[in-house]
Amino acid sequence: MKRPHLVILGAGASLAAFPAGDRNGKRLPLMKNFVDVVGLTDMLKAAGVSEPYDDFESIYSDIAIDPNRKALKEEIEGHVVSYFSSLELPDEPTLYDHLVLSLRPKDVIATFNWDPFLCQAARRNYAFGGAPTLLFLHGSVAFPYCGDCKTGYPLQTTCPKCGKPLVKSPLLYPVKQKDYQTDPAISGHWRTLEQVLKSAWVLTVFGYGAPQTDVEAVRLMKAAWGDVHERELEETEMIDVRTEDDLTATWAPFIHTHHYTIHRSFYDSYIARFPRRSGEALWAQLMECQFLDPHMFPLNADFPELYDWLQPRINAEQRTRRSDFAL
């Protein structure tokens, strides 16, 4: 199973991981409560932006195209960056740690989220199990890069190769015509995503609703996935609380007939039920009619216990390692 398992994350994934907030109780926003959670209400009122504030996409889009509100736009963006940069993982294993540890280095996580959780989880687990490739499609507060070395270094400030200061890619805010080409890191991540979509054996979409302001993003992904009638073996997995009709309508261009599953919880997904073996498990069940019992890691385990449970799988990977999918 050299082909990658591709996971696409949206805001719903971070909210599912931290329903009560981060390490310090800071809440994770969705677009409908973004203004309240991030603390933009007073700023908008002072600038004469009238309520309601339950549609940050529309509010920001209107401000962004108004040349007289450039200062307000920059103030909002600075506040957003500050809020998301302050978020921290708890000390104990979280859903994001389980996600990172459940995938192998050949796999890929592409996120639309700005928060630092994915970088933090990958960094603290890397020495044990490696990490999947991480792609930040709308930028991230935790993923700076070196323009000279063409490499990103999560949560660092200087390039380990050349010693130059790292540059943070801009966050892409909710406007319909997002610029995916100007920033070299973001454009590079999109090129990589297109390559991965063409090769992916399993596609999991976790908490991403494909909003109207992401029309171009979905178009690019559809083009890379190709004709759904030619993806007759691939499986599409959706982790979301929305209805089946809603989800299948949204992701129909990625679903070949009945080749999809829907889960309300990450822990019901193939990734969590068959850690580091999701692709093999799906092949066994769908192609060879082997009905497998889940083999989940202990959910309430601390890191030593979690690593101990996963160690035999890591050992097996090291014994049988071949040339993995190369990005």
Side-chain angles (χ1 to χ4, degrees), residues 154-260:
L155 304 171
Q156 297 190 39
T157 57
T158 57
C159 178
K161 292 182 179 180
C162 67
K164 292 182 179 179
L166 297 177
V167 178
K168 286 189 177 181
S169 59
L171 303 187
L172 297 188
Y173 288 83
V175 293
K176 289 186 178 180
Q177 296 298 322
K178 294 187 179 69
D179 182 0
Y180 292 119
Q181 301 303 322
T182 301
D183 182 76
I186 290 177
S187 63
H189 286 192
W190 273 99
R191 288 194 300 271
T192 301
L193 177 65
E194 291 169 0
Q195 179 185 352
V196 174
L197 276 163
K198 294 175 182 178
S199 302
W201 156 235
V202 188
L203 169 64
T204 295
V205 182
F206 184 8
Y208 176 59
Q212 288 300 308
T213 51
D214 282 354
V215 170
E216 178 64 10
V218 176
R219 187 194 69 78
L220 291 172
M221 290 191 290
K222 288 177 181 177
W225 184 254
D227 186 346
V228 69
H229 300 293
E230 297 179 1
R231 306 298 295 257
E232 67 273 10
L233 298 181
E234 288 81 356
E235 185 78 3
T236 300
E237 181 180 49
M238 293 160 277
I239 307 171
D240 210 300
V241 296
R242 294 153 60 196
T243 66
E244 180 173 356
D245 288 346
D246 189 7
L247 289 168
T248 53
T250 299
W251 299 107
F254 298 85
I255 299 172
H256 179 80
T257 63
H258 60 286
H259 287 211
Y260 72 90

Side-chain angles (χ1 to χ4, degrees), residues 35-221:
V35 170
D36 175 55
V37 171
V38 178
L40 301 175
T41 302
D42 291 343
M43 186 187 305
L44 293 176
K45 285 183 178 179
V49 179
S50 58
E51 298 184 66
Y53 299 143
D54 57 356
D55 186 356
F56 179 67
E57 291 180 314
S58 295
I59 294 170
Y60 180 84
S61 294
D62 290 343
I63 293 171
I65 62 175
D66 187 346
N68 296 320
R69 287 181 160 172
K70 181 180 179 181
L72 176 60
K73 173 178 173 289
E74 293 176 351
E75 186 179 6
I76 290 172
E77 293 175 355
H79 192 88
V80 169
V81 169
S82 178
Y83 186 87
F84 279 89
S85 297
S86 70
L87 298 174
E88 297 180 286
L89 286 178
D91 291 333
E92 64 274 7
T94 68
L95 184 153
Y96 270 77
D97 295 289
H98 294 155
L99 171 62
V100 167
L101 287 167
S102 293
L103 297 171
R104 309 209 295 266
K106 72 175 181 64
D107 299 320
V108 179
I109 302 175
T111 180
F112 286 93
N113 299 337
W114 299 328
D115 63 61
F117 297 132
L118 187 59
C119 285
Q120 292 173 357
R123 184 177 185 179
R124 71 183 184 182
N125 292 290
Y126 184 82
F128 172 73
T133 295
L134 307 182
L135 303 177
F136 299 93
L137 306 178
H138 282 177
S140 169
V141 298
F143 192 81
Y145 66 93
C146 178
D148 292 338
C149 299
K150 310 298 183 186
T151 308
Y153 296 97
L155 304 171
Q156 297 190 39
T157 57
T158 57
C159 178
K161 292 182 179 180
C162 67
K164 292 182 179 179
L166 297 177
V167 178
K168 286 189 177 181
S169 59
L171 303 187
L172 297 188
Y173 288 83
V175 293
K176 289 186 178 180
Q177 296 298 322
K178 294 187 179 69
D179 182 0
Y180 292 119
Q181 301 303 322
T182 301
D183 182 76
I186 290 177
S187 63
H189 286 192
W190 273 99
R191 288 194 300 271
T192 301
L193 177 65
E194 291 169 0
Q195 179 185 352
V196 174
L197 276 163
K198 294 175 182 178
S199 302
W201 156 235
V202 188
L203 169 64
T204 295
V205 182
F206 184 8
Y208 176 59
Q212 288 300 308
T213 51
D214 282 354
V215 170
E216 178 64 10
V218 176
R219 187 194 69 78
L220 291 172
M221 290 191 290

